[in-house]
């Protein structure tokens, strides 16, 4: 038994994440008010992060993780980053969707406490990401470096974009943007999977330079999407009134901002990757 898995700073952060995610989904489940896609997503996030983090703690406590055919440091780094992003999204979506003002009922109080627990859970995962991030010059665990963490961020933002896509058929410019999102997501996801599965060493080419080239190409593709998506989405269209949750105009605005976020992420990724390879 490796007690350091629970007593180290990373272990303590994981224990907090387990307790807080359990508290969040338990309180929301007790209200019985989480129907619809947004409520289902939030409950899935808290349950998924609770289960995987608990499994990570048990595997490290019993020292069974070396038996797994994967890069454990890459897996835990990628998961902590993904969990931080998922819990952050749920911490914003849940109160915006289910908590109404004024908040005076018992159910609303439980929803507010669940939101607070979710925010603290995000902080716990953010602390874990900071503690496990590779030091400058250390590339033994790629997904714990800044470019590796950015790969997880880029893939997650692409998933958010996919959830908002609607009404793009028949517009060549918008269909090109969807192709950009899909191609970059697939390649980025393959890089993450191959890294965790220790398969990158089998690629018969200079891997580091290939990643720099891919980041440059993805940056150019996202640059075109950043221009074309708002150009074709809002051309000749004003925001309808009222514009509810499923309003196409709001969805297109969300895709626009998420595209800009990924453009910035790929730019930072290119800068860091170039420094790692050539400097």
């Amino acid at each position: 038994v490796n007690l350091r898995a629970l007593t180290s700073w990373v272990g303590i952060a994981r224990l907090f994440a387990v307790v807080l995610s359990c508290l969040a989904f338990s309180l929301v489940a007790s209200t019985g008010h989480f129907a619809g896609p947004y409520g289902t997503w939030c409950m899935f996030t808290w349950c998924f992060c609770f289960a995987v983090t608990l499994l990570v703690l048990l595997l490290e406590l019993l020292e069974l993780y070396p038996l797994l055919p994967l890069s454990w440091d890459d897996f835990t780094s990628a998961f902590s980053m993904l969990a931080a992003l998922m819990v952050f999204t749920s911490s914003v979506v849940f109160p915006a969707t289910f908590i109404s003002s004024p908040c005076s009922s018992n159910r609303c109080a439980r929803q507010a406490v669940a939101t607070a627990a979710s925010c603290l859970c995000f902080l716990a995962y953010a602390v874990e990401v900071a503690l496990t991030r590779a030091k400058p010059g250390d590339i033994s665990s790629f997904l714990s470096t800044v470019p590796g963490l950015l790969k997880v961020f880029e893939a997650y933002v692409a998933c958010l974009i996919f959830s908002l896509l609607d009404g793009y058929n028949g517009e060549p410019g918008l269909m090109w943007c969807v192709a950009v999102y899909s191609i970059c997501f697939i390649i980025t996801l393959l890089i993450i999977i191959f890294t965790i599965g220790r398969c990158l060493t089998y690629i018969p080419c200079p891997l580091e330079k290939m990643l720099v080239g891919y980041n440059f190409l993805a940056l150019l593709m996202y640059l075109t999407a950043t221009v074309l998506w708002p150009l074709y989405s809002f051309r000749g269209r004003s925001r309808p009134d009222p514009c509810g949750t499923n309003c196409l105009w709001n969805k297109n605005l969300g895709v626009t901002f998420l595209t800009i976020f990924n453009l910035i992420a790929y730019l930072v990724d290119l800068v860091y990757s170039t420094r790692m390879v050539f400097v």
Side-chain angles (χ1 to χ4, degrees), residues 207-219 270 273 278:
L207 179 62
E208 296 83 2
K209 294 181 180 180
M210 185 189 73
L211 289 177
V212 172
Y214 162 66
N215 289 332
F216 180 71
L217 179 61
L219 177 66
L270 176 63
S273 298
F278 299 105

Side-chain angles (χ1 to χ4, degrees), residues 21 25 45 47 55-56 63 86 115 121 136 157 178 190 201 230 250 258 260 269 279:
S21 58
F25 75 72
T45 294
C47 293
L55 180 62
V56 168
E63 293 190 326
M86 292 176 66
T115 301
C121 185
V157 171
V178 174
L190 287 176
T201 54
N250 279 351
L258 291 172
I260 295 173
D269 195 353
V279 180

Side-chain angles (χ1 to χ4, degrees), residues 32-92:
H33 187 60
F34 53 89
Y38 295 117
T40 303
W41 163 254
C42 294
M43 285 293 285
F44 167 77
T45 294
W46 295 320
C47 293
F48 171 75
C49 293
F50 166 79
V52 177
T53 306
L54 184 60
L55 180 62
V56 168
L57 282 173
L58 289 175
L59 289 174
E60 291 203 346
L61 180 65
L62 301 177
E63 293 190 326
L64 296 175
Y65 64 90
L67 303 176
L68 300 176
L70 50 82
S71 174
W72 183 252
D73 291 338
D74 284 311
F75 170 74
T76 53
S77 297
F79 168 73
S80 59
M81 183 64 176
L82 176 64
L85 294 171
M86 292 176 66
V87 173
F88 175 77
T89 305
S90 298
S91 301
V92 175

Side-chain angles (χ1 to χ4, degrees), residues 96-108:
T97 306
F98 293 97
I99 298 181
S100 57
S101 183
C103 185
S104 56
S105 64
N106 179 266
R107 184 178 72 179
C108 185

